Amino acid sequence: MQKISDRIYSVGVNDDDKVLFEGLWPLPFGVSYNSYIVDDEKVALIDTVEAGFEEEFLENINEAIGGRPVDYLVVNHMEPDHSSLISYMLECYPDLKIIANAKTLPMLKGYHNVQDDRVLVVSEGQSVSLGECSLSFHMIPMVHWPETMVTWLPEENTVFSGDAFGTFGVVADDIVDAEETFDQYRDEMIRYYSNIVGKYGTPVQSALKKLSGLPVKRICSTHGPVWEKNIEKVVSLYDKLSRYEVERGVCIVYGSMYGNTAAAADALAVELEARGIPCAVHDLAGNNSGELGVSGALRDVFKYDTIVVGSPTYNNGIFPPVETFMAALKARLIKGRRFYAFGSYTWSPSSVNQLNKLASEMDFQILGDGLAFPQSYSREKFDASAIADCILK
Ligand SMILES: Cc1cc2nc3c(=O)[nH]c(=O)nc-3n(C[C@H](O)[C@H](O)[C@H](O)COP(=O)(O)O)c2cc1C
Ligand SMILES: [Fe+2]
Ligand SMILES: [Fe+2]
């Protein structure tokens, strides 16, 4: 529990144990599920936390409000990392009313069998008074689900933004950011955005437009630090990511069974690094421990303008982990990237052609035919310098 202002307390939890977020995305630095109390004549709780943290969550709430009951539970977002303890809260506080919008209602019923008389349904811009201060509600559909909204506390210029402006990584004892906090979280914020929200660039842009009318002094998101000192940096990063804007650089992503495609990927990375080109390399087949796989690859696809993909030919097609990566690009509506494919084969190549076909379906700029090389890697078969010339021209 941490007091953030005279009225606001952070009552969320850190999760160091979960291995994969949404069953997919590695969490080397953990994740936080943030929840906030707004303490006035009435007490409002903004979102809950993931299942398994019942005791810690209730302790945090009690520490903040000294055993007083929670009057309102604002449900900004129904994904279970924030909504899992709704039933538990309804049991703990028999008079508690949920504040939610119309799109949330069927989800509340379906997940928690919540009866209508326990819900105060709010619409766009509606305000609910807590006494001296009030909360208003603003819909930001598809950031990250259709029912998603943010809660605005005008008396504190604070937005409770849900997943928007969230990041992977547990939070420090002091959840409020220092000057250097943004730099510490930047990579995990990009990975969070690209993995979780990456498909919804247009809705994120609409949400940013909506928020730009508010004099925001504090962002309380559901994952990661509370942003006060880095608001401009955080908002402009989300703006840039949701416009799919990138910098010059190369993201090499490959899968390899026996190391030949891997050796080619490494040779190209060495060549690009020697030329001073920003370059990230991701092994999708999990041969290198500590690899983030598709999750890390997506992060760097959101950073760099060029994607180089390596896959051996596998049953006349693309090696499955690489196919999954290509599908992940498509699912995120990635556009405006430059693309090059390579890979080893043994009797008849087809992965490179198929990769190029998928890339052209996404309207990527295809940089040459790509290079399929037979059997083992060698410098003669895979001329990294010539390929670098082709990629960089
Ligand atoms: C299950 C399996 C299926 C394969 N299918 C093909 C194929 O359809 N066409 C081909 O030319 N090579 C095929 N190969 C051979 C690989 O492409 C070849 O061994 C390549 O060098 C592997 O590259 P790597 O060392 O990067 O894993 C297959 C290999 C395996 C293990
Ligand atoms: Fe979410
Ligand atoms: Fe979330």
Side-chain angles (χ1 to χ4, degrees), residues 77 79 81 144 163:
H77 179 26
E79 188 168 359
D81 53 336
H144 151 227
D163 283 343

Side-chain angles (χ1 to χ4, degrees), residues 159-180:
V159 64
F160 299 94
S161 64
D163 283 343
F165 313 115
T167 170
F168 290 136
V170 294
V171 289
D173 286 341
D174 185 355
I175 193 173
V176 181
D177 65 338
E179 297 295 342
E180 65 273 16

Side-chain angles (χ1 to χ4, degrees), residues 116-131:
D116 286 353
D117 63 350
R118 294 206 69 176
V119 187
L120 175 62
V121 181
V122 290
S123 51
E124 173 67 35
Q126 195 174 326
S127 212
V128 171
S129 171
L130 300 179

Side-chain angles (χ1 to χ4, degrees), residues 79-119:
E79 188 168 359
D81 53 336
H82 313 295
S83 71
S84 283
L85 298 195
I86 288 177
S87 306
Y88 179 65
M89 286 291 107
L90 289 170
E91 280 165 29
C92 290
Y93 302 105
D95 296 323
L96 179 152
K97 276 230 158 178
I98 289 176
I99 297 179
N101 65 70
K103 283 192 193 158
T104 312
L105 276 181
M107 301 184 188
L108 283 169
K109 268 211 180 90
Y111 278 112
H112 297 282
N113 199 23
V114 175
Q115 301 306 304
D116 286 353
D117 63 350
R118 294 206 69 176
V119 187

Side-chain angles (χ1 to χ4, degrees), residues 192-313:
Y192 174 84
Y193 179 90
S194 66
N195 292 187
I196 310 297
V197 200
K199 180 180 171 62
Y200 304 113
T202 307
V204 170
Q205 280 290 311
S206 309
L208 287 171
K209 257 190 210 103
K210 201 173 246 194
L211 292 177
S212 69
L214 302 172
V216 179
K217 293 247 167 62
R218 180 186 297 121
I219 296 174
C220 295
S221 107
T222 46
H223 302 286
V226 166
W227 300 107
E228 289 182 358
K229 298 179 190 70
N230 291 278
I231 288 178
E232 239 180 77
K233 288 180 184 169
V234 167
V235 172
S236 83
L237 180 58
Y238 261 71
D239 179 42
K240 190 175 155 187
L241 293 169
S242 55
R243 283 188 285 108
Y244 297 90
E245 200 183 293
V246 275
E247 287 151 25
R248 193 79 210 264
V250 180
C251 177
I252 302 176
V253 184
Y254 70 92
S256 183
M257 298 174 279
Y258 296 109
N260 296 297
T261 306
D266 289 343
L268 182 60
V270 168
E271 177 68 28
L272 292 170
E273 273 155 25
R275 297 187 187 197
I277 306 294
C279 178
V281 187
H282 293 282
D283 165 14
L284 299 177
N287 294 315
N288 295 316
S289 64
E291 263 294 340
L292 291 169
V294 172
S295 173
L298 287 173
R299 177 193 67 202
D300 293 328
V301 161
F302 273 81
K303 279 190 195 170
Y304 297 136
D305 66 351
T306 304
I307 309 171
V308 175
V309 176
S311 168
T313 293

Side-chain angles (χ1 to χ4, degrees), residues 255-262 312-317 344-350 375-376:
S256 183
M257 298 174 279
Y258 296 109
N260 296 297
T261 306
T313 293
Y314 186 95
N315 292 342
N316 231 8
S344 171
Y345 70 97
T346 294
W347 61 91
S348 77
S350 59
Q375 297 91 30
S376 61

